[in-house]
Amino acid sequence: MKVLLIGANGQIGKHVVQLLKDSKEHTLRAMVRSEEQAQELKKSGVEAVVANLEGSVAEIAEAMNGCDAVIFSAGSGGKTGPDKTLLVDLDGAVKSVEAAEKAGAKRFVMVSAFQAHDRESWKDSPIKPYMVAKHYADRLLVASELNYTIVRPGGLLNEPGTGQVKAAENLEAGTIPREDVARVVVSALNKENTYKRSFDLISGENSVEEALKSI
Amino acid sequence: MKVLLIGANGQIGKHVVQLLKDSKEHTLRAMVRSEEQAQELKKSGVEAVVANLEGSVAEIAEAMNGCDAVIFSAGSGGKTGPDKTLLVDLDGAVKSVEAAEKAGAKRFVMVSAFQAHDRESWKDSPIKPYMVAKHYADRLLVASELNYTIVRPGGLLNEPGTGQVKAAENLEAGTIPREDVARVVVSALNKENTYKRSFDLISGENSVEEALKSI
Protein backbone atom coordinates (compact mmCIF):
# COMPACT_ATOMS: atom_id res chain seq x y z
CA MET A 1 0.00 0.00 0.00
CA LYS A 2 0.97 3.60 -0.54
CA VAL A 3 0.56 5.15 2.93
CA LEU A 4 0.15 8.80 3.92
CA LEU A 5 1.42 9.29 7.46
CA ILE A 6 -0.10 12.30 9.22
CA GLY A 7 2.01 13.40 12.16
CA ALA A 8 5.29 12.08 10.78
CA ASN A 9 7.25 14.40 13.03
CA GLY A 10 5.53 13.24 16.22
CA GLN A 11 6.92 10.81 18.76
CA ILE A 12 4.97 7.81 17.49
CA GLY A 13 5.16 9.10 13.92
CA LYS A 14 8.97 8.97 13.89
CA HIS A 15 8.86 5.25 14.72
CA VAL A 16 6.28 4.70 11.99
CA VAL A 17 8.59 6.44 9.50
CA GLN A 18 11.41 4.04 10.37
CA LEU A 19 9.19 0.98 10.02
CA LEU A 20 7.66 2.05 6.71
CA LYS A 21 11.05 3.01 5.27
CA ASP A 22 12.11 -0.58 5.80
CA SER A 23 8.82 -2.13 4.68
CA LYS A 24 8.60 -4.38 1.62
CA GLU A 25 4.81 -4.22 1.52
CA HIS A 26 4.25 -0.49 1.81
CA THR A 27 5.62 2.79 0.55
CA LEU A 28 5.53 5.95 2.63
CA ARG A 29 4.58 9.57 2.10
CA ALA A 30 5.09 11.63 5.24
CA MET A 31 2.87 14.64 5.87
CA VAL A 32 4.40 17.40 8.00
CA ARG A 33 3.59 21.01 8.82
CA SER A 34 6.72 22.80 7.67
CA GLU A 35 8.98 22.87 4.65
CA GLU A 36 11.92 22.45 7.01
CA GLN A 37 10.55 19.17 8.39
CA ALA A 38 9.86 17.99 4.84
CA GLN A 39 13.45 18.76 3.76
CA GLU A 40 14.77 16.83 6.75
CA LEU A 41 12.73 13.76 5.76
CA LYS A 42 13.67 14.03 2.09
CA LYS A 43 17.34 14.07 3.05
CA SER A 44 16.87 10.67 4.65
CA GLY A 45 15.14 9.34 1.53
CA VAL A 46 11.52 9.71 2.63
CA GLU A 47 8.87 11.20 0.34
CA ALA A 48 7.35 14.14 2.18
CA VAL A 49 4.53 16.61 1.66
CA VAL A 50 3.67 19.81 3.52
CA ALA A 51 0.06 20.27 4.62
CA ASN A 52 -1.66 21.68 7.68
CA LEU A 53 -4.37 20.00 9.73
CA GLU A 54 -5.77 23.45 10.40
CA GLY A 55 -6.20 23.93 6.65
CA SER A 56 -9.02 22.76 4.40
CA VAL A 57 -10.18 19.24 3.61
CA ALA A 58 -9.14 19.90 0.00
CA GLU A 59 -5.57 20.70 1.08
CA ILE A 60 -5.33 17.50 3.12
CA ALA A 61 -6.93 15.45 0.33
CA GLU A 62 -4.33 16.76 -2.10
CA ALA A 63 -1.58 15.51 0.19
CA MET A 64 -3.22 12.05 0.06
CA ASN A 65 -3.45 11.96 -3.72
CA GLY A 66 -2.64 8.45 -4.97
CA CYS A 67 -2.49 6.90 -1.49
CA ASP A 68 -4.33 3.73 -0.49
CA ALA A 69 -4.09 4.23 3.25
CA VAL A 70 -3.75 6.88 5.92
CA ILE A 71 -2.17 6.61 9.36
CA PHE A 72 -3.21 9.41 11.70
CA SER A 73 -0.73 9.77 14.56
CA ALA A 74 -0.79 13.56 14.89
CA GLY A 75 -1.53 15.25 18.17
CA SER A 76 -1.59 18.84 19.29
CA GLY A 77 0.81 17.86 22.07
CA GLY A 78 0.87 18.62 25.75
CA LYS A 79 2.32 22.10 25.36
CA THR A 80 -0.56 23.63 23.44
CA GLY A 81 -3.84 24.64 25.00
CA PRO A 82 -7.31 23.15 24.54
CA ASP A 83 -7.89 25.48 21.58
CA LYS A 84 -5.52 23.29 19.60
CA THR A 85 -7.21 20.20 21.01
CA LEU A 86 -10.38 21.32 19.24
CA LEU A 87 -8.61 22.46 16.08
CA VAL A 88 -6.16 19.58 15.63
CA ASP A 89 -7.15 16.52 17.68
CA LEU A 90 -10.82 16.86 16.77
CA ASP A 91 -11.30 18.95 13.63
CA GLY A 92 -7.94 18.07 12.08
CA ALA A 93 -8.62 14.38 12.56
CA VAL A 94 -12.14 14.51 11.11
CA LYS A 95 -10.97 16.63 8.18
CA SER A 96 -8.39 13.90 7.53
CA VAL A 97 -11.18 11.32 7.49
CA GLU A 98 -13.19 13.42 5.05
CA ALA A 99 -10.07 13.98 2.95
CA ALA A 100 -9.44 10.22 2.80
CA GLU A 101 -12.99 9.67 1.57
CA LYS A 102 -12.47 12.38 -1.04
CA ALA A 103 -9.07 11.09 -2.15
CA GLY A 104 -10.19 7.45 -2.26
CA ALA A 105 -7.74 6.31 0.43
CA LYS A 106 -10.05 3.69 1.85
CA ARG A 107 -7.84 2.35 4.62
CA PHE A 108 -7.49 4.52 7.75
CA VAL A 109 -5.58 3.65 10.93
CA MET A 110 -6.17 6.06 13.80
CA VAL A 111 -3.93 6.42 16.83
CA SER A 112 -6.49 7.23 19.51
CA ALA A 113 -6.31 7.17 23.31
CA PHE A 114 -6.92 4.46 25.89
CA GLN A 115 -10.66 3.85 26.43
CA ALA A 116 -11.58 6.86 24.29
CA HIS A 117 -14.89 5.14 23.47
CA ASP A 118 -16.04 4.96 27.09
CA ARG A 119 -16.83 8.29 28.78
CA GLU A 120 -17.19 6.64 32.18
CA SER A 121 -13.53 5.65 32.25
CA TRP A 122 -12.30 9.26 31.92
CA LYS A 123 -15.05 11.18 33.64
CA ASP A 124 -12.64 12.37 36.35
CA SER A 125 -9.48 12.45 34.21
CA PRO A 126 -7.26 15.54 34.30
CA ILE A 127 -7.10 15.31 30.48
CA LYS A 128 -10.87 14.94 30.02
CA PRO A 129 -11.09 17.70 27.34
CA TYR A 130 -8.47 15.86 25.27
CA MET A 131 -10.40 12.62 25.72
CA VAL A 132 -13.58 14.35 24.51
CA ALA A 133 -11.77 15.44 21.35
CA LYS A 134 -10.43 11.92 20.68
CA HIS A 135 -13.82 10.38 21.49
CA TYR A 136 -15.64 12.39 18.84
CA ALA A 137 -12.89 12.10 16.23
CA ASP A 138 -13.19 8.33 16.60
CA ARG A 139 -16.99 8.43 16.40
CA LEU A 140 -16.89 10.38 13.16
CA LEU A 141 -14.36 7.92 11.76
CA VAL A 142 -16.61 5.00 12.69
CA ALA A 143 -19.49 6.76 10.92
CA SER A 144 -17.40 7.23 7.76
CA GLU A 145 -17.25 4.89 4.79
CA LEU A 146 -13.59 4.02 5.41
CA ASN A 147 -12.03 0.71 6.43
CA TYR A 148 -10.85 2.05 9.74
CA THR A 149 -8.87 0.60 12.62
CA ILE A 150 -8.80 2.59 15.87
CA VAL A 151 -5.83 1.80 18.11
CA ARG A 152 -6.20 3.07 21.70
CA PRO A 153 -2.83 2.80 23.45
CA GLY A 154 -2.31 3.01 27.20
CA GLY A 155 0.21 5.32 28.87
CA LEU A 156 2.93 6.06 26.32
CA LEU A 157 6.56 5.35 27.17
CA ASN A 158 9.72 6.40 25.35
CA GLU A 159 11.65 3.24 26.21
CA PRO A 160 12.51 0.79 23.39
CA GLY A 161 9.72 -1.51 22.27
CA THR A 162 9.61 -5.19 23.19
CA GLY A 163 7.29 -6.37 20.44
CA GLN A 164 5.13 -7.97 23.12
CA VAL A 165 1.65 -6.50 23.45
CA LYS A 166 -1.92 -7.09 24.52
CA ALA A 167 -4.92 -5.89 22.51
CA ALA A 168 -8.64 -6.12 23.25
CA GLU A 169 -11.78 -4.04 23.10
CA ASN A 170 -11.50 -3.23 26.81
CA LEU A 171 -8.38 -3.59 28.92
CA GLU A 172 -7.34 -2.59 32.42
CA ALA A 173 -5.06 0.47 32.44
CA GLY A 174 -1.44 -0.14 31.41
CA THR A 175 1.48 1.35 29.55
CA ILE A 176 3.24 0.71 26.24
CA PRO A 177 6.36 1.99 24.50
CA ARG A 178 5.63 4.30 21.56
CA GLU A 179 7.74 2.03 19.37
CA ASP A 180 5.34 -0.86 20.00
CA VAL A 181 2.35 1.32 19.15
CA ALA A 182 4.04 2.11 15.83
CA ARG A 183 4.62 -1.60 15.17
CA VAL A 184 0.96 -2.40 15.76
CA VAL A 185 -0.23 0.45 13.57
CA VAL A 186 2.01 -0.55 10.67
CA SER A 187 1.28 -4.25 11.06
CA ALA A 188 -2.48 -3.60 11.09
CA LEU A 189 -2.42 -1.84 7.72
CA ASN A 190 -3.10 -4.92 5.59
CA LYS A 191 -4.83 -7.12 8.19
CA GLU A 192 -8.43 -7.22 7.00
CA ASN A 193 -9.68 -8.71 10.25
CA THR A 194 -8.82 -5.38 11.91
CA TYR A 195 -11.04 -3.40 9.50
CA LYS A 196 -13.86 -1.63 11.33
CA ARG A 197 -12.39 -2.59 14.68
CA SER A 198 -11.31 -0.51 17.70
CA PHE A 199 -9.18 -1.77 20.56
CA ASP A 200 -7.16 -0.84 23.62
CA LEU A 201 -3.43 -1.64 23.45
CA ILE A 202 -0.86 -2.10 26.23
CA SER A 203 2.32 -4.09 26.75
CA GLY A 204 1.63 -7.80 27.13
CA GLU A 205 2.74 -11.28 26.25
CA ASN A 206 1.69 -11.69 22.65
CA SER A 207 3.55 -10.88 19.48
CA VAL A 208 2.06 -8.07 17.43
CA GLU A 209 0.89 -10.63 14.86
CA GLU A 210 -0.84 -12.77 17.48
CA ALA A 211 -2.43 -9.77 19.16
CA LEU A 212 -3.86 -8.47 15.89
CA LYS A 213 -5.17 -11.91 14.94
CA SER A 214 -7.20 -11.99 18.16
CA ILE A 215 -9.04 -8.72 17.37
CA MET B 1 -45.65 19.00 24.52
CA LYS B 2 -43.81 18.62 27.78
CA VAL B 3 -40.50 20.40 27.14
CA LEU B 4 -37.19 20.12 28.96
CA LEU B 5 -35.23 23.32 28.57
CA ILE B 6 -31.47 22.88 28.98
CA GLY B 7 -29.75 26.15 29.76
CA ALA B 8 -32.78 27.78 31.38
CA ASN B 9 -30.56 30.26 33.20
CA GLY B 10 -28.82 31.45 30.02
CA GLN B 11 -29.54 34.62 28.15
CA ILE B 12 -31.66 32.97 25.46
CA GLY B 13 -32.96 30.42 27.95
CA LYS B 14 -34.54 33.09 30.13
CA HIS B 15 -36.62 34.30 27.19
CA VAL B 16 -37.63 30.70 26.42
CA VAL B 17 -38.78 30.31 30.03
CA GLN B 18 -41.05 33.34 29.71
CA LEU B 19 -42.53 32.13 26.44
CA LEU B 20 -43.17 28.60 27.65
CA LYS B 21 -44.67 29.81 30.94
CA ASP B 22 -47.30 31.61 28.89
CA SER B 23 -47.77 28.81 26.34
CA LYS B 24 -51.11 27.02 25.98
CA GLU B 25 -49.58 24.24 23.87
CA HIS B 26 -46.55 23.32 25.95
CA THR B 27 -45.52 22.81 29.54
CA LEU B 28 -42.03 23.54 30.77
CA ARG B 29 -39.44 21.83 32.91
CA ALA B 30 -36.32 23.94 33.29
CA MET B 31 -32.95 22.23 33.76
CA VAL B 32 -30.34 24.24 35.67
CA ARG B 33 -27.00 23.53 37.29
CA SER B 34 -27.64 24.61 40.88
CA GLU B 35 -30.27 24.12 43.55
CA GLU B 36 -30.30 27.90 44.00
CA GLN B 37 -31.25 28.50 40.37
CA ALA B 38 -33.92 25.81 40.66
CA GLN B 39 -35.42 27.44 43.76
CA GLU B 40 -35.50 30.79 41.97
CA LEU B 41 -37.46 29.27 39.07
CA LYS B 42 -39.83 27.37 41.36
CA LYS B 43 -40.66 30.60 43.19
CA SER B 44 -41.91 32.01 39.90
CA GLY B 45 -44.03 28.93 39.25
CA VAL B 46 -41.71 27.06 36.90
CA GLU B 47 -40.99 23.34 37.29
CA ALA B 48 -37.24 22.98 37.63
CA VAL B 49 -34.72 20.15 37.87
CA VAL B 50 -31.04 20.21 38.77
CA ALA B 51 -28.65 18.33 36.47
CA ASN B 52 -25.17 18.92 35.14
CA LEU B 53 -24.09 18.73 31.50
CA GLU B 54 -20.71 17.54 32.75
CA GLY B 55 -22.43 14.59 34.40
CA SER B 56 -23.51 11.29 32.87
CA VAL B 57 -26.01 10.61 30.10
CA ALA B 58 -28.10 8.75 32.70
CA GLU B 59 -28.28 11.84 34.93
CA ILE B 60 -29.42 14.02 32.01
CA ALA B 61 -31.89 11.38 30.83
CA GLU B 62 -33.41 11.29 34.29
CA ALA B 63 -34.00 15.04 34.12
CA MET B 64 -35.88 14.45 30.82
CA ASN B 65 -38.11 11.72 32.21
CA GLY B 66 -41.64 12.12 30.82
CA CYS B 67 -40.72 14.90 28.39
CA ASP B 68 -41.64 14.89 24.70
CA ALA B 69 -39.16 17.53 23.60
CA VAL B 70 -35.81 19.08 24.49
CA ILE B 71 -34.58 22.59 23.80
CA PHE B 72 -30.82 22.94 24.12
CA SER B 73 -29.82 26.57 24.64
CA ALA B 74 -26.95 26.03 27.05
CA GLY B 75 -23.50 27.41 26.39
CA SER B 76 -20.29 27.47 28.35
CA GLY B 77 -20.25 31.25 27.91
CA GLY B 78 -17.52 33.66 26.94
CA LYS B 79 -15.89 33.73 30.37
CA THR B 80 -14.84 30.11 30.50
CA GLY B 81 -11.92 28.67 28.57
CA PRO B 82 -11.93 26.20 25.69
CA ASP B 83 -11.82 23.32 28.17
CA LYS B 84 -15.46 24.04 28.92
CA THR B 85 -16.13 24.42 25.21
CA LEU B 86 -15.17 20.76 24.84
CA LEU B 87 -16.93 19.62 28.00
CA VAL B 88 -20.17 21.59 27.67
CA ASP B 89 -20.73 22.87 24.13
CA LEU B 90 -19.61 19.61 22.55
CA ASP B 91 -19.82 16.73 25.02
CA GLY B 92 -22.66 18.20 27.08
CA ALA B 93 -24.72 18.75 23.94
CA VAL B 94 -24.13 15.27 22.54
CA LYS B 95 -24.83 13.67 25.92
CA SER B 96 -28.14 15.56 25.87
CA VAL B 97 -28.89 14.07 22.46
CA GLU B 98 -28.09 10.58 23.73
CA ALA B 99 -30.15 11.24 26.85
CA ALA B 100 -33.13 12.29 24.72
CA GLU B 101 -32.88 9.05 22.74
CA LYS B 102 -32.72 7.12 26.00
CA ALA B 103 -35.61 9.01 27.60
CA GLY B 104 -37.81 8.85 24.50
CA ALA B 105 -37.95 12.62 24.05
CA LYS B 106 -38.06 12.47 20.28
CA ARG B 107 -38.19 16.19 19.50
CA PHE B 108 -34.95 18.16 19.88
CA VAL B 109 -34.40 21.84 19.10
CA MET B 110 -30.78 22.93 19.18
CA VAL B 111 -29.58 26.52 19.49
CA SER B 112 -26.43 26.38 17.40
CA ALA B 113 -24.27 29.11 15.86
CA PHE B 114 -24.40 30.98 12.56
CA GLN B 115 -23.06 28.84 9.69
CA ALA B 116 -21.87 26.15 12.09
CA HIS B 117 -22.30 23.59 9.30
CA ASP B 118 -19.81 25.29 6.96
CA ARG B 119 -16.16 25.25 8.06
CA GLU B 120 -15.16 27.64 5.28
CA SER B 121 -17.24 30.45 6.75
CA TRP B 122 -15.37 30.40 10.11
CA LYS B 123 -11.92 29.26 9.06
CA ASP B 124 -10.42 32.59 10.16
CA SER B 125 -12.85 33.34 12.98
CA PRO B 126 -11.47 34.36 16.40
CA ILE B 127 -13.98 31.90 17.93
CA LYS B 128 -13.04 29.02 15.64
CA PRO B 129 -12.61 26.50 18.52
CA TYR B 130 -16.16 27.28 19.70
CA MET B 131 -17.43 26.85 16.14
CA VAL B 132 -15.69 23.46 15.94
CA ALA B 133 -17.53 22.35 19.09
CA LYS B 134 -20.92 23.51 17.76
CA HIS B 135 -20.19 21.97 14.35
CA TYR B 136 -19.65 18.50 15.77
CA ALA B 137 -22.48 18.70 18.29
CA ASP B 138 -24.79 19.46 15.37
CA ARG B 139 -23.37 16.64 13.27
CA LEU B 140 -23.95 14.12 16.03
CA LEU B 141 -27.52 15.41 16.44
CA VAL B 142 -28.14 15.02 12.71
CA ALA B 143 -26.84 11.45 12.94
CA SER B 144 -29.19 10.66 15.84
CA GLU B 145 -32.67 9.19 15.57
CA LEU B 146 -34.33 12.36 16.89
CA ASN B 147 -36.65 14.79 15.12
CA TYR B 148 -34.19 17.64 15.36
CA THR B 149 -34.27 21.27 14.33
CA ILE B 150 -30.97 23.16 14.36
CA VAL B 151 -31.33 26.93 14.66
CA ARG B 152 -28.17 28.88 13.79
CA PRO B 153 -28.61 32.51 14.88
CA GLY B 154 -26.43 35.39 13.75
CA GLY B 155 -24.78 37.87 16.12
CA LEU B 156 -26.85 37.90 19.33
CA LEU B 157 -28.24 41.19 20.65
CA ASN B 158 -29.81 41.96 23.99
CA GLU B 159 -32.27 44.52 22.64
CA PRO B 160 -35.99 43.66 22.65
CA GLY B 161 -37.21 41.36 19.88
CA THR B 162 -39.21 42.62 16.93
CA GLY B 163 -40.77 39.32 15.89
CA GLN B 164 -39.46 39.95 12.37
CA VAL B 165 -36.89 37.45 11.18
CA LYS B 166 -35.28 35.78 8.19
CA ALA B 167 -34.48 32.06 8.06
CA ALA B 168 -32.77 30.00 5.39
CA GLU B 169 -30.16 27.28 5.01
CA ASN B 170 -27.49 29.87 4.17
CA LEU B 171 -27.70 33.58 4.90
CA GLU B 172 -25.30 36.50 4.72
CA ALA B 173 -24.03 37.54 8.17
CA GLY B 174 -26.47 39.49 10.33
CA THR B 175 -27.68 40.00 13.88
CA ILE B 176 -30.77 39.09 15.87
CA PRO B 177 -32.13 39.85 19.36
CA ARG B 178 -31.97 36.88 21.74
CA GLU B 179 -35.69 37.31 22.36
CA ASP B 180 -36.42 36.60 18.68
CA VAL B 181 -34.23 33.49 18.76
CA ALA B 182 -36.29 32.26 21.71
CA ARG B 183 -39.54 32.92 19.78
CA VAL B 184 -38.32 30.90 16.81
CA VAL B 185 -37.15 28.02 18.98
CA VAL B 186 -40.46 27.81 20.84
CA SER B 187 -42.54 28.27 17.71
CA ALA B 188 -40.62 25.53 15.90
CA LEU B 189 -41.41 22.93 18.57
CA ASN B 190 -44.59 21.58 16.95
CA LYS B 191 -43.91 22.55 13.31
CA GLU B 192 -43.31 19.23 11.61
CA ASN B 193 -41.91 20.86 8.48
CA THR B 194 -38.92 21.96 10.57
CA TYR B 195 -38.11 18.39 11.62
CA LYS B 196 -34.67 17.30 10.38
CA ARG B 197 -33.92 20.82 9.18
CA SER B 198 -31.08 23.24 9.98
CA PHE B 199 -31.10 26.93 9.17
CA ASP B 200 -29.40 30.29 9.72
CA LEU B 201 -31.49 32.93 11.47
CA ILE B 202 -31.16 36.74 11.52
CA SER B 203 -33.49 39.71 11.82
CA GLY B 204 -35.61 40.22 8.71
CA GLU B 205 -39.01 41.05 7.37
CA ASN B 206 -41.03 37.92 7.97
CA SER B 207 -43.08 36.90 10.97
CA VAL B 208 -41.74 33.90 12.88
CA GLU B 209 -44.61 31.81 11.51
CA GLU B 210 -43.88 32.80 7.91
CA ALA B 211 -40.15 32.24 8.31
CA LEU B 212 -40.65 28.76 9.73
CA LYS B 213 -43.12 27.85 6.99
CA SER B 214 -40.46 28.63 4.39
CA ILE B 215 -37.95 26.19 5.87
Side-chain angles (χ1 to χ4, degrees), chain B residues 117-189:
Chain B
H117 63 306
D118 182 13
R119 286 190 191 104
E120 281 301 300
S121 71
W122 35 268
K123 63 181 178 183
D124 300 318
S125 164
I127 57 163
K128 188 174 174 185
Y130 172 77
M131 296 305 297
V132 168
K134 296 301 282 181
H135 176 80
Y136 288 101
D138 290 356
R139 277 173 71 162
L140 275 290
L141 174 55
V142 168
S144 77
E145 61 194 39
L146 302 175
N147 291 323
Y148 66 83
T149 300
I150 297 173
V151 180
R152 302 186 302 244
L156 297 167
L157 307 175
N158 278 331
E159 59 195 47
T162 63
Q164 300 293 104
V165 300
K166 191 173 183 180
E169 205 174 328
N170 289 289
L171 291 172
E172 293 297 309
T175 59
I176 184 166
R178 287 183 167 87
E179 189 180 355
D180 283 337
V181 177
R183 283 176 183 164
V184 168
V185 163
V186 169
S187 182
L189 275 171

Side-chain angles (χ1 to χ4, degrees), chain A residues 85-106:
Chain A
T85 303
L86 277 154
L87 299 179
V88 175
D89 301 300
L90 175 55
D91 201 30
V94 181
K95 284 188 289 189
S96 300
V97 170
E98 292 171 30
E101 290 178 319
K102 202 177 156 107
K106 297 219 175 303

Side-chain angles (χ1 to χ4, degrees), chain A residues 171-197:
Chain A
L171 291 173
E172 293 297 308
T175 58
I176 183 167
R178 287 183 168 87
E179 189 179 356
D180 283 336
V181 177
R183 283 175 182 164
V184 167
V185 163
V186 169
S187 182
L189 275 171
N190 58 8
K191 303 254 181 329
E192 292 196 14
N193 72 300
T194 68
Y195 287 13
K196 315 226 175 199
R197 290 281 185 280

Side-chain angles (χ1 to χ4, degrees), chain B residues 61 64-70 98-107 145-146:
Chain B
M64 289 175 187
N65 191 22
C67 289
D68 309 294
V70 175
E98 293 172 29
E101 290 177 319
K102 202 177 157 104
K106 297 217 176 305
R107 179 74 175 122
E145 61 194 39
L146 302 175

Side-chain angles (χ1 to χ4, degrees), chain A residues 68-195:
Chain A
D68 309 294
V70 174
I71 294 174
F72 188 95
S73 73
S76 64
K79 286 175 206 157
T80 59
D83 263 22
K84 292 291 181 191
T85 303
L86 277 154
L87 299 179
V88 175
D89 301 300
L90 175 55
D91 201 30
V94 181
K95 284 188 289 189
S96 300
V97 170
E98 292 171 30
E101 290 178 319
K102 202 177 156 107
K106 297 219 175 303
R107 179 73 175 122
F108 199 107
V109 181
M110 172 72 87
V111 179
S112 182
F114 197 72
Q115 287 279 306
H117 63 305
D118 182 14
R119 287 191 191 103
E120 281 302 300
S121 72
W122 34 269
K123 63 182 177 182
D124 300 318
S125 164
I127 58 163
K128 187 174 173 185
Y130 173 76
M131 296 304 297
V132 169
K134 297 301 282 182
H135 176 79
Y136 288 101
D138 290 357
R139 278 173 71 162
L140 275 291
L141 174 55
V142 168
S144 78
E145 61 195 38
L146 302 175
N147 291 323
Y148 66 84
T149 300
I150 297 172
V151 181
R152 302 186 302 243
L156 297 167
L157 307 175
N158 277 332
E159 60 194 47
T162 63
Q164 300 293 103
V165 301
K166 190 173 183 179
E169 205 174 328
N170 289 289
L171 291 173
E172 293 297 308
T175 58
I176 183 167
R178 287 183 168 87
E179 189 179 356
D180 283 336
V181 177
R183 283 175 182 164
V184 167
V185 163
V186 169
S187 182
L189 275 171
N190 58 8
K191 303 254 181 329
E192 292 196 14
N193 72 300
T194 68
Y195 287 13

